[in-house]
Amino acid sequence: GVFNFAQGAMVFFAALTFVGLQQDYGINFWVAFVLALGAMILLGLATEKFVLRPLVNQPQITLFMATIGLTFVLEGLSQLLWGAQPHGLDLGIPDEPMTWLMDTTGINVSQFDVFAAVVAGLLVAVLAVFFQTTRIGRALRAVADDHQAALAVGIPLRQIWAIVWAVAGFVALVAGLMWGARNGVQFALTFIALKALPVLILGGFE
């Protein structure tokens, strides 16, 4: 029941780390992806240990404020490590209309947009299967529903929160690559995740 205001900053941090590894150190795509993913997992574990663990059983407003504070930390850390200038990101997917679709229907649909939609769909499907069918996924849902009850039946809250933030880091990295390739890796990526807030409010988010 807590909206993570730091998710946008995590997207920015993940994308900037990936681009920094590629451009500053000449690392190839997949090695940079693995290293950036490792950095996001470590970030998630550190967030659980130093930010969330001291706030167990505190009011939700405290967790809200903690994620806002984490946003400022990540924004500053990202630019301290990799600089504040915008970076271009090329995933090798052309941002051009699909010729056959344009010729047959007159509709312009970018190849990159289709690629990004497929990646997003696969990510949602994988997360849905993970949450619905795996033991860890069910434990994550139990903690989200009522962490006190989850603790009562023996679910390790600290480990679950660490997994949650590691998964959030992975999602942030994928989202950062997609948005960074479209709009460039820049500070504006921080605000992307917050675009979902009005939808959550209208949908009855508590």
Side-chain angles (χ1 to χ4, degrees), residues 14 16 18 29 31 55 68 70 105 129 139 166 173 183 194:
L16 198 56
F18 175 85
F29 179 92
V31 175
L55 300 179
I68 293 175
L70 182 61
T105 65
V129 171
L173 177 57
N183 298 324
L194 297 183

Side-chain angles (χ1 to χ4, degrees), residues 6 12 14-16 21 28-29 33-34 37 45 48-49 66-67 79 88 114 142 153 163 173 183 187 195:
F12 177 52
L16 198 56
L21 289 171
N28 69 50
F29 179 92
F33 183 88
V34 171
L37 178 58
L45 296 176
E48 187 280 327
K49 181 176 182 179
T67 62
Q79 296 174 81
V114 173
V153 297
I163 293 172
L173 177 57
N183 298 324
F187 182 76
K195 292 181 179 180

Side-chain angles (χ1 to χ4, degrees), residues 113-139:
D113 287 344
V114 173
F115 173 78
V118 170
V119 170
L122 288 174
L123 188 59
V124 170
V126 168
L127 289 175
V129 171
F130 173 71
F131 281 115
Q132 295 292 333
T133 63
T134 68
R135 183 177 181 180
I136 295 177
R138 289 192 292 269

Side-chain angles (χ1 to χ4, degrees), residues 66-187:
T67 62
I68 293 175
L70 182 61
T71 297
F72 294 116
V73 172
L74 290 179
E75 289 172 354
L77 180 62
S78 301
Q79 296 174 81
L80 177 66
L81 292 175
W82 305 109
Q85 69 276 14
H87 297 267
L89 176 58
D90 183 13
L91 299 181
I93 309 299
D95 190 9
E96 301 173 354
M98 301 175 67
T99 305
W100 64 270
L101 184 63
M102 184 173 59
D103 292 340
T104 56
T105 65
I107 299 174
N108 292 331
V109 178
S110 170
Q111 297 179 46
F112 182 84
D113 287 344
V114 173
F115 173 78
V118 170
V119 170
L122 288 174
L123 188 59
V124 170
V126 168
L127 289 175
V129 171
F130 173 71
F131 281 115
Q132 295 292 333
T133 63
T134 68
R135 183 177 181 180
I136 295 177
R138 289 192 292 269
L140 293 175
R141 292 166 56 202
V143 171
D145 287 340
D146 190 332
H147 70 266
Q148 292 282 8
L151 280 172
V153 297
I155 295 176
L157 182 61
R158 292 177 180 177
Q159 294 180 21
I160 292 300
W161 272 7
I163 293 172
V164 166
W165 282 86
V167 172
F170 171 71
V171 172
L173 177 57
V174 175
L177 294 182
M178 295 296 102
W179 281 94
R182 167 50 67 99
N183 298 324
V185 179
Q186 54 186 312
F187 182 76

